[in-house]
Amino acid sequence: MSLLATLAVKVVKAIVFVIIGKIVLSAASKWLGKALSKTKLDPMLHRFILNIVKIIVWVEVILAVMDVFGFDASSLLTIFAAAGAAVALALQGSLSNFAGGILIMVTAPFSKGDYISCAGNEGSVDHIDLLNTTLITGDNRVVIVPNGTLINNSITNSSKKNTRRVDISIGVSYDTDIEYARKVLTDFVCADSRVLKEPAVFVAVKNYDDSAVELTVRAWCNTADYWGLLFDTQTAMKDVLTKAGISIPYPQMDVHIENK
């Protein structure tokens, strides 16, 4: 067989291996996707696992194609391993992000749909890839955060617990009967069906400012009700105090002029 014919046969075999690889990958992805959907694994892990499987399949295809053309795969792997140090130095950031993704999978500091904040970024977790995690902000922007950033910084997960505490501060006049103001605010907050009975609503003096006595209101609710309760309470609080005859002062200064 001529050299050209031999080369043509090898090319055809290589193409066949690539086609088989695509078919196997497609079938494996569908089967694995269905299998993962029936497990209790966090949905965020599904995409990560599928990406790992894709990498493994394509590595096998590449090795098979190399074997077709007569390359010694073991020798090439040795060469690649020797060059790995240089590549690792050039891709330190990417390797750090990949390692961060693995650690996120193992430690599970957050799940799909959780609202998190980290290193100045915040939003609901949409999915995690090999190198990055995608967040969706409250105003529907997409934020892509490197996994290395997430794993090397403090993460605040606002959705991890089923309940959250709403903290609101408001100032009242120094002429106000504090116990009366506390009762008005306590009754108002407790009347909201979203507020949990336990722990009980807490209202107390937080600080004595220059122009007002600052009261703090603390109420517990289900995590899903947090933002609605916070904004609704803050919006209505002024009218509630005004109707109760309690004034909310604004900063002011008394100036005394002495004639000498």
PDB file of all heavy atoms in Angstrom, residues 176-215:
ATOM      1  N   THR A 176     -40.479  62.222  73.538  1.00  0.00           N
ATOM      2  CA  THR A 176     -41.331  61.044  73.397  1.00  0.00           C
ATOM      3  C   THR A 176     -41.281  60.151  74.635  1.00  0.00           C
ATOM      4  O   THR A 176     -40.213  59.962  75.234  1.00  0.00           O
ATOM      5  CB  THR A 176     -40.904  60.222  72.162  1.00  0.00           C
ATOM      6  OG1 THR A 176     -40.973  61.043  70.998  1.00  0.00           O
ATOM      7  CG2 THR A 176     -41.794  58.997  71.984  1.00  0.00           C
ATOM      8  N   ASP A 177     -42.420  59.598  74.983  1.00  0.00           N
ATOM      9  CA  ASP A 177     -42.482  58.567  76.019  1.00  0.00           C
ATOM     10  C   ASP A 177     -41.944  57.272  75.392  1.00  0.00           C
ATOM     11  O   ASP A 177     -42.603  56.668  74.540  1.00  0.00           O
ATOM     12  CB  ASP A 177     -43.925  58.378  76.486  1.00  0.00           C
ATOM     13  CG  ASP A 177     -44.051  57.352  77.612  1.00  0.00           C
ATOM     14  OD1 ASP A 177     -43.183  56.460  77.711  1.00  0.00           O
ATOM     15  OD2 ASP A 177     -45.027  57.441  78.378  1.00  0.00           O
ATOM     16  N   ILE A 178     -40.752  56.884  75.779  1.00  0.00           N
ATOM     17  CA  ILE A 178     -40.074  55.755  75.135  1.00  0.00           C
ATOM     18  C   ILE A 178     -40.876  54.464  75.250  1.00  0.00           C
ATOM     19  O   ILE A 178     -40.987  53.697  74.271  1.00  0.00           O
ATOM     20  CB  ILE A 178     -38.667  55.558  75.717  1.00  0.00           C
ATOM     21  CG1 ILE A 178     -37.818  56.815  75.481  1.00  0.00           C
ATOM     22  CG2 ILE A 178     -37.990  54.340  75.100  1.00  0.00           C
ATOM     23  CD1 ILE A 178     -37.648  57.166  74.015  1.00  0.00           C
ATOM     24  N   GLU A 179     -41.445  54.201  76.408  1.00  0.00           N
ATOM     25  CA  GLU A 179     -42.215  52.970  76.582  1.00  0.00           C
ATOM     26  C   GLU A 179     -43.430  52.961  75.671  1.00  0.00           C
ATOM     27  O   GLU A 179     -43.800  51.916  75.112  1.00  0.00           O
ATOM     28  CB  GLU A 179     -42.638  52.816  78.041  1.00  0.00           C
ATOM     29  CG  GLU A 179     -41.507  52.461  78.985  1.00  0.00           C
ATOM     30  CD  GLU A 179     -40.774  51.199  78.546  1.00  0.00           C
ATOM     31  OE1 GLU A 179     -41.460  50.221  78.161  1.00  0.00           O
ATOM     32  OE2 GLU A 179     -39.536  51.186  78.560  1.00  0.00           O
ATOM     33  N   TYR A 180     -44.053  54.119  75.510  1.00  0.00           N
ATOM     34  CA  TYR A 180     -45.208  54.227  74.607  1.00  0.00           C
ATOM     35  C   TYR A 180     -44.769  53.968  73.165  1.00  0.00           C
ATOM     36  O   TYR A 180     -45.439  53.240  72.410  1.00  0.00           O
ATOM     37  CB  TYR A 180     -45.836  55.615  74.740  1.00  0.00           C
ATOM     38  CG  TYR A 180     -46.944  55.889  73.754  1.00  0.00           C
ATOM     39  CD1 TYR A 180     -48.095  55.104  73.718  1.00  0.00           C
ATOM     40  CD2 TYR A 180     -46.830  56.942  72.839  1.00  0.00           C
ATOM     41  CE1 TYR A 180     -49.113  55.360  72.814  1.00  0.00           C
ATOM     42  CE2 TYR A 180     -47.837  57.209  71.931  1.00  0.00           C
ATOM     43  CZ  TYR A 180     -48.984  56.409  71.912  1.00  0.00           C
ATOM     44  OH  TYR A 180     -49.987  56.671  71.009  1.00  0.00           O
ATOM     45  N   ALA A 181     -43.639  54.574  72.765  1.00  0.00           N
ATOM     46  CA  ALA A 181     -43.130  54.381  71.399  1.00  0.00           C
ATOM     47  C   ALA A 181     -42.783  52.912  71.160  1.00  0.00           C
ATOM     48  O   ALA A 181     -43.073  52.356  70.084  1.00  0.00           O
ATOM     49  CB  ALA A 181     -41.898  55.249  71.177  1.00  0.00           C
ATOM     50  N   ARG A 182     -42.198  52.266  72.157  1.00  0.00           N
ATOM     51  CA  ARG A 182     -41.870  50.849  72.027  1.00  0.00           C
ATOM     52  C   ARG A 182     -43.128  50.004  71.833  1.00  0.00           C
ATOM     53  O   ARG A 182     -43.154  49.085  71.006  1.00  0.00           O
ATOM     54  CB  ARG A 182     -41.119  50.356  73.262  1.00  0.00           C
ATOM     55  CG  ARG A 182     -39.698  50.905  73.403  1.00  0.00           C
ATOM     56  CD  ARG A 182     -39.039  50.363  74.653  1.00  0.00           C
ATOM     57  NE  ARG A 182     -38.950  48.905  74.582  1.00  0.00           N
ATOM     58  CZ  ARG A 182     -38.776  48.121  75.645  1.00  0.00           C
ATOM     59  NH1 ARG A 182     -38.707  48.655  76.857  1.00  0.00           N
ATOM     60  NH2 ARG A 182     -38.699  46.820  75.501  1.00  0.00           N
ATOM     61  N   LYS A 183     -44.176  50.329  72.575  1.00  0.00           N
ATOM     62  CA  LYS A 183     -45.432  49.569  72.465  1.00  0.00           C
ATOM     63  C   LYS A 183     -46.065  49.764  71.092  1.00  0.00           C
ATOM     64  O   LYS A 183     -46.551  48.801  70.471  1.00  0.00           O
ATOM     65  CB  LYS A 183     -46.410  49.999  73.539  1.00  0.00           C
ATOM     66  CG  LYS A 183     -47.723  49.207  73.542  1.00  0.00           C
ATOM     67  CD  LYS A 183     -48.646  49.648  74.650  1.00  0.00           C
ATOM     68  CE  LYS A 183     -49.898  48.757  74.714  1.00  0.00           C
ATOM     69  NZ  LYS A 183     -50.611  48.668  73.428  1.00  0.00           N
ATOM     70  N   VAL A 184     -46.058  51.015  70.610  1.00  0.00           N
ATOM     71  CA  VAL A 184     -46.639  51.300  69.291  1.00  0.00           C
ATOM     72  C   VAL A 184     -45.909  50.499  68.205  1.00  0.00           C
ATOM     73  O   VAL A 184     -46.541  49.858  67.346  1.00  0.00           O
ATOM     74  CB  VAL A 184     -46.569  52.812  68.983  1.00  0.00           C
ATOM     75  CG1 VAL A 184     -46.919  53.075  67.513  1.00  0.00           C
ATOM     76  CG2 VAL A 184     -47.512  53.586  69.895  1.00  0.00           C
ATOM     77  N   LEU A 185     -44.580  50.517  68.245  1.00  0.00           N
ATOM     78  CA  LEU A 185     -43.808  49.814  67.228  1.00  0.00           C
ATOM     79  C   LEU A 185     -43.947  48.299  67.362  1.00  0.00           C
ATOM     80  O   LEU A 185     -44.048  47.581  66.354  1.00  0.00           O
ATOM     81  CB  LEU A 185     -42.329  50.211  67.336  1.00  0.00           C
ATOM     82  CG  LEU A 185     -41.993  51.648  66.919  1.00  0.00           C
ATOM     83  CD1 LEU A 185     -40.536  51.964  67.218  1.00  0.00           C
ATOM     84  CD2 LEU A 185     -42.284  51.865  65.439  1.00  0.00           C
ATOM     85  N   THR A 186     -43.977  47.812  68.586  1.00  0.00           N
ATOM     86  CA  THR A 186     -44.122  46.363  68.807  1.00  0.00           C
ATOM     87  C   THR A 186     -45.470  45.872  68.288  1.00  0.00           C
ATOM     88  O   THR A 186     -45.537  44.851  67.578  1.00  0.00           O
ATOM     89  CB  THR A 186     -43.989  46.029  70.301  1.00  0.00           C
ATOM     90  OG1 THR A 186     -42.709  46.453  70.777  1.00  0.00           O
ATOM     91  CG2 THR A 186     -44.139  44.537  70.530  1.00  0.00           C
ATOM     92  N   ASP A 187     -46.539  46.591  68.609  1.00  0.00           N
ATOM     93  CA  ASP A 187     -47.874  46.191  68.152  1.00  0.00           C
ATOM     94  C   ASP A 187     -47.970  46.240  66.632  1.00  0.00           C
ATOM     95  O   ASP A 187     -48.571  45.352  66.003  1.00  0.00           O
ATOM     96  CB  ASP A 187     -48.940  47.109  68.768  1.00  0.00           C
ATOM     97  CG  ASP A 187     -49.083  46.910  70.273  1.00  0.00           C
ATOM     98  OD1 ASP A 187     -48.588  45.879  70.774  1.00  0.00           O
ATOM     99  OD2 ASP A 187     -49.675  47.786  70.935  1.00  0.00           O
ATOM    100  N   PHE A 188     -47.365  47.263  66.049  1.00  0.00           N
ATOM    101  CA  PHE A 188     -47.397  47.410  64.586  1.00  0.00           C
ATOM    102  C   PHE A 188     -46.684  46.249  63.905  1.00  0.00           C
ATOM    103  O   PHE A 188     -47.206  45.633  62.964  1.00  0.00           O
ATOM    104  CB  PHE A 188     -46.761  48.741  64.193  1.00  0.00           C
ATOM    105  CG  PHE A 188     -46.357  48.821  62.755  1.00  0.00           C
ATOM    106  CD1 PHE A 188     -47.292  48.746  61.736  1.00  0.00           C
ATOM    107  CD2 PHE A 188     -45.010  48.961  62.409  1.00  0.00           C
ATOM    108  CE1 PHE A 188     -46.909  48.809  60.396  1.00  0.00           C
ATOM    109  CE2 PHE A 188     -44.624  49.025  61.088  1.00  0.00           C
ATOM    110  CZ  PHE A 188     -45.575  48.949  60.077  1.00  0.00           C
ATOM    111  N   VAL A 189     -45.486  45.931  64.369  1.00  0.00           N
ATOM    112  CA  VAL A 189     -44.701  44.869  63.736  1.00  0.00           C
ATOM    113  C   VAL A 189     -45.342  43.504  63.965  1.00  0.00           C
ATOM    114  O   VAL A 189     -45.421  42.674  63.052  1.00  0.00           O
ATOM    115  CB  VAL A 189     -43.248  44.888  64.256  1.00  0.00           C
ATOM    116  CG1 VAL A 189     -42.468  43.694  63.707  1.00  0.00           C
ATOM    117  CG2 VAL A 189     -42.568  46.186  63.880  1.00  0.00           C
ATOM    118  N   CYS A 190     -45.835  43.261  65.175  1.00  0.00           N
ATOM    119  CA  CYS A 190     -46.436  41.956  65.484  1.00  0.00           C
ATOM    120  C   CYS A 190     -47.711  41.700  64.683  1.00  0.00           C
ATOM    121  O   CYS A 190     -48.111  40.548  64.501  1.00  0.00           O
ATOM    122  CB  CYS A 190     -46.755  41.870  66.979  1.00  0.00           C
ATOM    123  SG  CYS A 190     -45.295  41.681  68.024  1.00  0.00           S
ATOM    124  N   ALA A 191     -48.349  42.768  64.218  1.00  0.00           N
ATOM    125  CA  ALA A 191     -49.592  42.610  63.452  1.00  0.00           C
ATOM    126  C   ALA A 191     -49.339  42.054  62.050  1.00  0.00           C
ATOM    127  O   ALA A 191     -50.280  41.595  61.384  1.00  0.00           O
ATOM    128  CB  ALA A 191     -50.319  43.953  63.362  1.00  0.00           C
ATOM    129  N   ASP A 192     -48.094  42.083  61.607  1.00  0.00           N
ATOM    130  CA  ASP A 192     -47.749  41.561  60.277  1.00  0.00           C
ATOM    131  C   ASP A 192     -47.667  40.036  60.354  1.00  0.00           C
ATOM    132  O   ASP A 192     -46.914  39.486  61.160  1.00  0.00           O
ATOM    133  CB  ASP A 192     -46.418  42.150  59.815  1.00  0.00           C
ATOM    134  CG  ASP A 192     -46.187  41.953  58.327  1.00  0.00           C
ATOM    135  OD1 ASP A 192     -46.334  40.812  57.841  1.00  0.00           O
ATOM    136  OD2 ASP A 192     -45.855  42.942  57.647  1.00  0.00           O
ATOM    137  N   SER A 193     -48.416  39.367  59.508  1.00  0.00           N
ATOM    138  CA  SER A 193     -48.480  37.898  59.543  1.00  0.00           C
ATOM    139  C   SER A 193     -47.157  37.247  59.164  1.00  0.00           C
ATOM    140  O   SER A 193     -46.930  36.067  59.458  1.00  0.00           O
ATOM    141  CB  SER A 193     -49.580  37.398  58.599  1.00  0.00           C
ATOM    142  OG  SER A 193     -49.325  37.809  57.263  1.00  0.00           O
ATOM    143  N   ARG A 194     -46.271  37.992  58.517  1.00  0.00           N
ATOM    144  CA  ARG A 194     -44.975  37.435  58.124  1.00  0.00           C
ATOM    145  C   ARG A 194     -43.987  37.363  59.283  1.00  0.00           C
ATOM    146  O   ARG A 194     -42.965  36.674  59.191  1.00  0.00           O
ATOM    147  CB  ARG A 194     -44.375  38.268  56.986  1.00  0.00           C
ATOM    148  CG  ARG A 194     -45.157  38.199  55.688  1.00  0.00           C
ATOM    149  CD  ARG A 194     -44.672  39.229  54.687  1.00  0.00           C
ATOM    150  NE  ARG A 194     -44.944  40.591  55.154  1.00  0.00           N
ATOM    151  CZ  ARG A 194     -44.738  41.682  54.417  1.00  0.00           C
ATOM    152  NH1 ARG A 194     -44.237  41.563  53.197  1.00  0.00           N
ATOM    153  NH2 ARG A 194     -45.023  42.887  54.902  1.00  0.00           N
ATOM    154  N   VAL A 195     -44.279  38.077  60.358  1.00  0.00           N
ATOM    155  CA  VAL A 195     -43.393  38.105  61.512  1.00  0.00           C
ATOM    156  C   VAL A 195     -43.628  36.866  62.365  1.00  0.00           C
ATOM    157  O   VAL A 195     -44.759  36.529  62.711  1.00  0.00           O
ATOM    158  CB  VAL A 195     -43.630  39.371  62.354  1.00  0.00           C
ATOM    159  CG1 VAL A 195     -42.791  39.332  63.631  1.00  0.00           C
ATOM    160  CG2 VAL A 195     -43.298  40.617  61.535  1.00  0.00           C
ATOM    161  N   LEU A 196     -42.534  36.180  62.707  1.00  0.00           N
ATOM    162  CA  LEU A 196     -42.637  34.969  63.523  1.00  0.00           C
ATOM    163  C   LEU A 196     -42.889  35.318  64.991  1.00  0.00           C
ATOM    164  O   LEU A 196     -42.416  36.349  65.488  1.00  0.00           O
ATOM    165  CB  LEU A 196     -41.359  34.152  63.401  1.00  0.00           C
ATOM    166  CG  LEU A 196     -40.962  33.699  61.980  1.00  0.00           C
ATOM    167  CD1 LEU A 196     -39.634  32.948  62.014  1.00  0.00           C
ATOM    168  CD2 LEU A 196     -42.050  32.846  61.362  1.00  0.00           C
ATOM    169  N   LYS A 197     -43.612  34.450  65.673  1.00  0.00           N
ATOM    170  CA  LYS A 197     -43.896  34.667  67.094  1.00  0.00           C
ATOM    171  C   LYS A 197     -42.653  34.446  67.950  1.00  0.00           C
ATOM    172  O   LYS A 197     -42.451  35.107  68.962  1.00  0.00           O
ATOM    173  CB  LYS A 197     -45.019  33.721  67.550  1.00  0.00           C
ATOM    174  CG  LYS A 197     -46.309  33.855  66.743  1.00  0.00           C
ATOM    175  CD  LYS A 197     -46.874  35.265  66.824  1.00  0.00           C
ATOM    176  CE  LYS A 197     -48.169  35.366  66.006  1.00  0.00           C
ATOM    177  NZ  LYS A 197     -48.685  36.777  66.004  1.00  0.00           N
ATOM    178  N   GLU A 198     -41.832  33.506  67.533  1.00  0.00           N
ATOM    179  CA  GLU A 198     -40.581  33.208  68.240  1.00  0.00           C
ATOM    180  C   GLU A 198     -39.426  33.198  67.242  1.00  0.00           C
ATOM    181  O   GLU A 198     -39.547  32.597  66.164  1.00  0.00           O
ATOM    182  CB  GLU A 198     -40.674  31.851  68.943  1.00  0.00           C
ATOM    183  CG  GLU A 198     -41.679  31.806  70.080  1.00  0.00           C
ATOM    184  CD  GLU A 198     -41.256  32.671  71.259  1.00  0.00           C
ATOM    185  OE1 GLU A 198     -40.033  32.931  71.379  1.00  0.00           O
ATOM    186  OE2 GLU A 198     -42.134  33.087  72.022  1.00  0.00           O
ATOM    187  N   PRO A 199     -38.339  33.867  67.570  1.00  0.00           N
ATOM    188  CA  PRO A 199     -38.110  34.744  68.722  1.00  0.00           C
ATOM    189  C   PRO A 199     -39.034  35.962  68.686  1.00  0.00           C
ATOM    190  O   PRO A 199     -39.417  36.417  67.601  1.00  0.00           O
ATOM    191  CB  PRO A 199     -36.632  35.147  68.595  1.00  0.00           C
ATOM    192  CG  PRO A 199     -36.025  34.143  67.666  1.00  0.00           C
ATOM    193  CD  PRO A 199     -37.124  33.753  66.727  1.00  0.00           C
ATOM    194  N   ALA A 200     -39.346  36.497  69.862  1.00  0.00           N
ATOM    195  CA  ALA A 200     -40.291  37.602  69.952  1.00  0.00           C
ATOM    196  C   ALA A 200     -39.707  38.887  69.372  1.00  0.00           C
ATOM    197  O   ALA A 200     -38.487  39.064  69.308  1.00  0.00           O
ATOM    198  CB  ALA A 200     -40.676  37.815  71.416  1.00  0.00           C
ATOM    199  N   VAL A 201     -40.604  39.771  68.941  1.00  0.00           N
ATOM    200  CA  VAL A 201     -40.191  41.077  68.432  1.00  0.00           C
ATOM    201  C   VAL A 201     -39.495  41.853  69.545  1.00  0.00           C
ATOM    202  O   VAL A 201     -39.944  41.862  70.698  1.00  0.00           O
ATOM    203  CB  VAL A 201     -41.410  41.863  67.910  1.00  0.00           C
ATOM    204  CG1 VAL A 201     -41.005  43.290  67.539  1.00  0.00           C
ATOM    205  CG2 VAL A 201     -42.018  41.156  66.702  1.00  0.00           C
ATOM    206  N   PHE A 202     -38.400  42.519  69.184  1.00  0.00           N
ATOM    207  CA  PHE A 202     -37.606  43.254  70.173  1.00  0.00           C
ATOM    208  C   PHE A 202     -37.504  44.715  69.752  1.00  0.00           C
ATOM    209  O   PHE A 202     -37.112  45.019  68.618  1.00  0.00           O
ATOM    210  CB  PHE A 202     -36.205  42.642  70.263  1.00  0.00           C
ATOM    211  CG  PHE A 202     -35.262  43.376  71.170  1.00  0.00           C
ATOM    212  CD1 PHE A 202     -35.297  43.186  72.544  1.00  0.00           C
ATOM    213  CD2 PHE A 202     -34.323  44.264  70.640  1.00  0.00           C
ATOM    214  CE1 PHE A 202     -34.425  43.854  73.378  1.00  0.00           C
ATOM    215  CE2 PHE A 202     -33.440  44.939  71.472  1.00  0.00           C
ATOM    216  CZ  PHE A 202     -33.491  44.728  72.842  1.00  0.00           C
ATOM    217  N   VAL A 203     -37.886  45.636  70.646  1.00  0.00           N
ATOM    218  CA  VAL A 203     -37.777  47.072  70.394  1.00  0.00           C
ATOM    219  C   VAL A 203     -37.096  47.706  71.604  1.00  0.00           C
ATOM    220  O   VAL A 203     -37.541  47.511  72.734  1.00  0.00           O
ATOM    221  CB  VAL A 203     -39.158  47.729  70.166  1.00  0.00           C
ATOM    222  CG1 VAL A 203     -38.986  49.227  69.892  1.00  0.00           C
ATOM    223  CG2 VAL A 203     -39.899  47.055  69.017  1.00  0.00           C
ATOM    224  N   ALA A 204     -36.026  48.456  71.367  1.00  0.00           N
ATOM    225  CA  ALA A 204     -35.293  49.060  72.477  1.00  0.00           C
ATOM    226  C   ALA A 204     -34.525  50.276  71.983  1.00  0.00           C
ATOM    227  O   ALA A 204     -34.393  50.504  70.771  1.00  0.00           O
ATOM    228  CB  ALA A 204     -34.341  48.056  73.108  1.00  0.00           C
ATOM    229  N   VAL A 205     -34.019  51.059  72.942  1.00  0.00           N
ATOM    230  CA  VAL A 205     -33.195  52.215  72.602  1.00  0.00           C
ATOM    231  C   VAL A 205     -31.830  51.723  72.147  1.00  0.00           C
ATOM    232  O   VAL A 205     -31.163  50.958  72.847  1.00  0.00           O
ATOM    233  CB  VAL A 205     -33.039  53.165  73.808  1.00  0.00           C
ATOM    234  CG1 VAL A 205     -32.063  54.286  73.469  1.00  0.00           C
ATOM    235  CG2 VAL A 205     -34.388  53.742  74.216  1.00  0.00           C
ATOM    236  N   LYS A 206     -31.422  52.175  70.979  1.00  0.00           N
ATOM    237  CA  LYS A 206     -30.122  51.777  70.438  1.00  0.00           C
ATOM    238  C   LYS A 206     -29.056  52.825  70.701  1.00  0.00           C
ATOM    239  O   LYS A 206     -27.904  52.492  70.985  1.00  0.00           O
ATOM    240  CB  LYS A 206     -30.241  51.538  68.923  1.00  0.00           C
ATOM    241  CG  LYS A 206     -28.949  51.099  68.261  1.00  0.00           C
ATOM    242  CD  LYS A 206     -29.159  50.865  66.771  1.00  0.00           C
ATOM    243  CE  LYS A 206     -27.872  50.393  66.111  1.00  0.00           C
ATOM    244  NZ  LYS A 206     -28.060  50.180  64.638  1.00  0.00           N
ATOM    245  N   ASN A 207     -29.469  54.091  70.585  1.00  0.00           N
ATOM    246  CA  ASN A 207     -28.466  55.141  70.730  1.00  0.00           C
ATOM    247  C   ASN A 207     -29.148  56.475  71.029  1.00  0.00           C
ATOM    248  O   ASN A 207     -30.323  56.674  70.698  1.00  0.00           O
ATOM    249  CB  ASN A 207     -27.655  55.262  69.432  1.00  0.00           C
ATOM    250  CG  ASN A 207     -26.413  56.098  69.592  1.00  0.00           C
ATOM    251  OD1 ASN A 207     -25.864  56.193  70.686  1.00  0.00           O
ATOM    252  ND2 ASN A 207     -25.981  56.719  68.506  1.00  0.00           N
ATOM    253  N   TYR A 208     -28.407  57.380  71.662  1.00  0.00           N
ATOM    254  CA  TYR A 208     -28.890  58.740  71.888  1.00  0.00           C
ATOM    255  C   TYR A 208     -28.123  59.670  70.949  1.00  0.00           C
ATOM    256  O   TYR A 208     -26.975  60.015  71.198  1.00  0.00           O
ATOM    257  CB  TYR A 208     -28.663  59.147  73.349  1.00  0.00           C
ATOM    258  CG  TYR A 208     -29.544  58.397  74.324  1.00  0.00           C
ATOM    259  CD1 TYR A 208     -29.066  57.278  74.994  1.00  0.00           C
ATOM    260  CD2 TYR A 208     -30.853  58.810  74.571  1.00  0.00           C
ATOM    261  CE1 TYR A 208     -29.865  56.573  75.889  1.00  0.00           C
ATOM    262  CE2 TYR A 208     -31.667  58.110  75.460  1.00  0.00           C
ATOM    263  CZ  TYR A 208     -31.164  57.004  76.115  1.00  0.00           C
ATOM    264  OH  TYR A 208     -31.968  56.316  76.992  1.00  0.00           O
ATOM    265  N   ASP A 209     -28.791  60.048  69.867  1.00  0.00           N
ATOM    266  CA  ASP A 209     -28.159  60.929  68.895  1.00  0.00           C
ATOM    267  C   ASP A 209     -28.318  62.387  69.318  1.00  0.00           C
ATOM    268  O   ASP A 209     -28.997  62.702  70.293  1.00  0.00           O
ATOM    269  CB  ASP A 209     -28.782  60.713  67.511  1.00  0.00           C
ATOM    270  CG  ASP A 209     -28.451  59.341  66.954  1.00  0.00           C
ATOM    271  OD1 ASP A 209     -27.407  58.782  67.335  1.00  0.00           O
ATOM    272  OD2 ASP A 209     -29.254  58.828  66.145  1.00  0.00           O
ATOM    273  N   ASP A 210     -27.736  63.280  68.523  1.00  0.00           N
ATOM    274  CA  ASP A 210     -27.794  64.702  68.856  1.00  0.00           C
ATOM    275  C   ASP A 210     -29.219  65.241  68.850  1.00  0.00           C
ATOM    276  O   ASP A 210     -29.590  66.056  69.690  1.00  0.00           O
ATOM    277  CB  ASP A 210     -26.948  65.510  67.866  1.00  0.00           C
ATOM    278  CG  ASP A 210     -25.468  65.212  68.011  1.00  0.00           C
ATOM    279  OD1 ASP A 210     -25.066  64.750  69.094  1.00  0.00           O
ATOM    280  OD2 ASP A 210     -24.728  65.408  67.030  1.00  0.00           O
ATOM    281  N   SER A 211     -30.036  64.756  67.885  1.00  0.00           N
ATOM    282  CA  SER A 211     -31.371  65.322  67.729  1.00  0.00           C
ATOM    283  C   SER A 211     -32.487  64.320  67.984  1.00  0.00           C
ATOM    284  O   SER A 211     -33.661  64.665  67.874  1.00  0.00           O
ATOM    285  CB  SER A 211     -31.536  65.891  66.307  1.00  0.00           C
ATOM    286  OG  SER A 211     -30.554  66.861  66.036  1.00  0.00           O
ATOM    287  N   ALA A 212     -32.154  63.068  68.276  1.00  0.00           N
ATOM    288  CA  ALA A 212     -33.204  62.061  68.426  1.00  0.00           C
ATOM    289  C   ALA A 212     -32.727  60.899  69.283  1.00  0.00           C
ATOM    290  O   ALA A 212     -31.523  60.666  69.455  1.00  0.00           O
ATOM    291  CB  ALA A 212     -33.627  61.537  67.059  1.00  0.00           C
ATOM    292  N   VAL A 213     -33.712  60.181  69.811  1.00  0.00           N
ATOM    293  CA  VAL A 213     -33.445  58.911  70.490  1.00  0.00           C
ATOM    294  C   VAL A 213     -33.631  57.818  69.437  1.00  0.00           C
ATOM    295  O   VAL A 213     -34.726  57.671  68.876  1.00  0.00           O
ATOM    296  CB  VAL A 213     -34.403  58.688  71.675  1.00  0.00           C
ATOM    297  CG1 VAL A 213     -34.128  57.333  72.313  1.00  0.00           C
ATOM    298  CG2 VAL A 213     -34.273  59.804  72.695  1.00  0.00           C
ATOM    299  N   GLU A 214     -32.591  57.083  69.135  1.00  0.00           N
ATOM    300  CA  GLU A 214     -32.658  56.056  68.092  1.00  0.00           C
ATOM    301  C   GLU A 214     -33.170  54.741  68.676  1.00  0.00           C
ATOM    302  O   GLU A 214     -32.589  54.203  69.616  1.00  0.00           O
ATOM    303  CB  GLU A 214     -31.293  55.851  67.453  1.00  0.00           C
ATOM    304  CG  GLU A 214     -31.323  54.872  66.283  1.00  0.00           C
ATOM    305  CD  GLU A 214     -29.950  54.641  65.682  1.00  0.00           C
ATOM    306  OE1 GLU A 214     -28.960  55.208  66.193  1.00  0.00           O
ATOM    307  OE2 GLU A 214     -29.871  53.872  64.703  1.00  0.00           O
ATOM    308  N   LEU A 215     -34.278  54.265  68.097  1.00  0.00           N
ATOM    309  CA  LEU A 215     -34.832  52.981  68.504  1.00  0.00           C
ATOM    310  C   LEU A 215     -34.483  51.923  67.460  1.00  0.00           C
ATOM    311  O   LEU A 215     -34.447  52.206  66.263  1.00  0.00           O
ATOM    312  CB  LEU A 215     -36.356  53.078  68.643  1.00  0.00           C
ATOM    313  CG  LEU A 215     -36.904  54.069  69.673  1.00  0.00           C
ATOM    314  CD1 LEU A 215     -38.428  54.046  69.650  1.00  0.00           C
ATOM    315  CD2 LEU A 215     -36.392  53.756  71.068  1.00  0.00           C
TER     316      LEU A 215
END
